């Protein structure tokens, strides 16, 4: 029988996958990988802000991640060259966060847990936060699913259908900020983008419809989380990175399988 901490870790990984699967599919479809990376990097600045003001860390991460996501979405809507802009914003936010923590009086914290995650240290409160955030993201995406698909497929078609692509982009922005806030304890700021992208990319070659891809991405994410925990126990490897290693191996296998099926 699993120990309590392993049970919580497994449930946290599965709960996170419920959110990252469908959201990661949109990240892949819209080629928003760097967008997710920038939002995740900003989470460390949110940690620093929360520690400095005695606010809950999750709240600080949510505020800063949402601010970063809205900033990036606004710049994208104005036609900025996003590759350079996102690079500057992502690494600057990470650097400011790391430096800011050192100025918080009386705080001595190991930031490696926030950078790479510590899924084995998930508490019952963290577990409730992860599942609560996952349910909110799923509800948000389910509510706007068809509109998001239309806006992703073609913005002109979205306008013709009476939809506002900027509003749909904002929905994804909010969902992304929530996922960053709930995922940072599980896989860390540096690996959140991987948890969004790798399972969705692995599912793409095996899917014929958007709904199937989102469902497979959830399944692959959950298998990656459980497999990563097992790998961590067997080989005494870091749990968060181990989850991504398993996801990458699944991506390699599904990519090879997908090519064989289409070949």
């Amino acid at each position: 029988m699993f120990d309590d901490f392993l049970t919580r870790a497994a449930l946290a990984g599965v709960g996170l996958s419920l959110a990252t699967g469908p959201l990661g599919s949109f990240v892949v479809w819209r080629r928003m990988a760097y967008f997710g990376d920038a939002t995740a990097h900003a989470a460390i600045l949110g940690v620093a802000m929360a520690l400095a003001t005695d606010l809950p860390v999750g709240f600080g991460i949510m505020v800063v991640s949402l601010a970063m996501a809205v900033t990036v979405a606004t710049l994208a809507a104005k036609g900025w060259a996003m590759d350079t802009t996102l690079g500057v914003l992502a690494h600057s936010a990470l650097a400011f966060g790391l430096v800011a923590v050192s100025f918080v009086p009386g705080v001595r914290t190991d930031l490696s847990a926030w950078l790479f995650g510590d899924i084995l240290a998930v508490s019952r409160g963290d577990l409730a936060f992860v599942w609560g955030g996952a349910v909110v993201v799923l509800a948000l995406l389910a509510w706007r699913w068809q509109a998001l698909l239309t806006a992703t497929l073609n913005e002109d078609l979205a306008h013709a259908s009476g939809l506002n692509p900027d509003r749909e982009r904002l929905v994804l922005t909010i969902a992304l900020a929530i996922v960053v806030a709930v995922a940072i304890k599980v896989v860390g700021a540096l690996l959140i983008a991987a948890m969004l992208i790798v399972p969705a990319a692995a599912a793409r070659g095996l899917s014929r419809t958007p709904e199937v891809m989102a469902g497979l991405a959830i399944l692959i994410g959950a298998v990656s989380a459980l497999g990563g925990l097992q790998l961590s126990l067997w080989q005494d490897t870091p749990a968060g990175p181990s989850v991504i290693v398993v996801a990458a191996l699944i991506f390699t296998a599904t990519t090879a399988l997908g090519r064989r099926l289409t070949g």
Side-chain angles (χ1 to χ4, degrees), residues 166-263:
D166 291 337
R167 181 181 61 195
E168 307 312 324
R169 190 180 297 113
L170 180 61
V171 169
L172 289 178
T173 298
I174 294 171
L176 189 58
I178 296 172
V179 166
V180 168
V182 301
I184 192 169
K185 189 66 177 288
V186 179
V187 292
L190 299 183
L191 299 175
I192 291 172
M195 193 62 182
L196 284 165
I197 297 164
V198 179
R204 179 167 55 178
L206 303 177
S207 307
R208 295 187 178 275
T209 67
E211 292 78 13
V212 169
M213 179 171 162
L216 280 177
I218 292 174
L219 178 61
I220 292 171
V223 170
S224 299
L226 298 176
L229 284 172
Q230 190 64 60
L231 176 62
S232 179
L233 288 174
W234 280 347
Q235 301 297 325
D236 195 26
T237 55
S242 296
V243 171
I244 307 305
V245 165
V246 174
L249 292 175
I250 294 174
F251 168 76
T252 302
T254 57
T255 300
L257 178 60
R259 288 179 178 177
R260 183 170 297 180
L261 290 175
T262 56

Side-chain angles (χ1 to χ4, degrees), residues 17 29 53 87 92 103-104 124 126 170-171 188 196 204 209:
S17 300
W29 294 329
T53 57
S92 297
F103 285 101
V104 179
R124 292 180 184 274
D126 294 329
L170 180 61
V171 169
L196 284 165
R204 179 167 55 178
T209 67

Side-chain angles (χ1 to χ4, degrees), residues 74-82:
T74 301
L75 294 177
K78 293 183 177 181
W80 282 51
M82 293 314 297

Side-chain angles (χ1 to χ4, degrees), residues 71-96:
T71 299
V72 171
T74 301
L75 294 177
K78 293 183 177 181
W80 282 51
M82 293 314 297
D83 53 349
T84 301
T85 303
L86 284 171
V88 171
L89 289 174
H91 299 296
S92 297
L94 178 60
F96 272 110

Side-chain angles (χ1 to χ4, degrees), residues 23-91:
L23 182 59
S25 298
F26 280 105
V27 169
V28 169
W29 294 329
R30 286 174 168 257
R31 299 181 180 179
M32 293 171 58
Y34 218 164
F35 183 98
D37 210 29
T39 306
H41 279 51
I44 297 299
L45 187 57
V47 172
M49 185 190 77
L51 293 175
T53 57
D54 291 327
L55 290 171
V57 173
F59 177 77
I61 293 171
M62 185 83 73
V63 169
V64 175
S65 297
L66 186 57
M68 173 64 82
V70 170
T71 299
V72 171
T74 301
L75 294 177
K78 293 183 177 181
W80 282 51
M82 293 314 297
D83 53 349
T84 301
T85 303
L86 284 171
V88 171
L89 289 174
H91 299 296

